[in-house]
């Protein structure tokens, strides 16, 4: 996930990593504010197996 970042440039949030941003660029902004999602930090809202560390699209 940190590939391509210079030492000391790691963001504080995983949602700010370039790979995360690329993987989620097709998600409409309105989806992030839905009550059942709440925020970008709620991985399990969209990734059923997130708690197991599995984040592939279904």
């Amino acid at each position: 996930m940190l590939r391509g970042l210079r030492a000391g440039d790691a963001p504080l949030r995983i949602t700010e990593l370039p790979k995360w941003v690329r993987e989620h660029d097709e998600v409409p902004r309105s989806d992030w504010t839905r009550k059942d999602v709440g925020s970008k930090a709620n991985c399990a809202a969209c990734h059923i197996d997130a708690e197991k560390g599995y984040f592939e699209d279904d």
Side-chain angles (χ1 to χ4, degrees), residues 3-4 6 9 17 35 37 42 45 52:
R3 188 175 298 151
R6 293 179 297 170
D9 282 351
L17 289 169
K35 283 191 175 202
V37 175
N42 185 7
K52 297 176 185 173

Side-chain angles (χ1 to χ4, degrees), residues 35-57:
K35 283 191 175 202
D36 59 329
V37 175
S39 76
K40 295 178 181 180
N42 185 7
C43 302
C46 300
H47 299 279
I48 296 168
D49 291 325
E51 291 182 19
K52 297 176 185 173
Y54 186 72
F55 296 94
E56 294 300 318
D57 290 339

